[in-house]
Amino acid sequence: MSALVEIIQGIGGIFIGLINVYIWVIIIAALLSFVNPDPYNPVVQFLHRVTNPAYAFVRRFMRTDLNGLDFAPLIIIIALQVLIVILQSILY
């Protein structure tokens, strides 16, 4: 039984690590939006493809722009941090 618990904790740890990586991707994409990068750059296109579905999901339920600033990345990061705390409390 303890081996199963350790496997579940390991998979949960990997999932939490992936969430942390996605948080950093969102942070990088948000910072790049301030400098207006080349839209044909493959890295910029990748970041755009990875983050836009989450932005669209949040924007579907609430208004995220205020005076020209988009708060969708901040809302997603806060939600993912809450998810990490919940997962860590369940797993450990």
Side-chain angles (χ1 to χ4, degrees):
M1 185 71 168
S2 67
L4 180 63
V5 172
E6 289 177 6
I7 291 172
I8 291 173
Q9 286 179 342
I11 292 171
I14 291 171
F15 189 64
I16 290 171
L18 290 174
I19 293 172
N20 281 321
V21 169
Y22 191 65
I23 287 172
W24 280 105
V25 167
I26 290 173
I27 290 170
I28 292 167
L31 290 175
L32 276 177
S33 70
F34 286 113
V35 296
N36 199 12
D38 177 22
Y40 298 107
N41 185 325
V43 174
V44 174
Q45 288 179 352
F46 170 76
L47 292 172
H48 188 69
R49 282 193 311 263
V50 171
T51 56
N52 265 357
Y55 294 167
F57 179 76
V58 170
R59 289 178 187 138
R60 187 178 331 152
F61 295 107
M62 65 179 63
R63 184 171 174 232
T64 61
D65 60 331
L66 181 67
N67 293 334
L69 288 176
D70 186 17
F71 289 100
L74 181 64
I75 293 167
I76 293 169
I77 289 171
I78 291 170
L80 290 175
Q81 288 290 342
V82 169
L83 180 63
I84 287 173
V85 169
I86 292 171
L87 285 175
Q88 285 178 338
S89 67
I90 290 172
L91 290 173
Y92 303 107

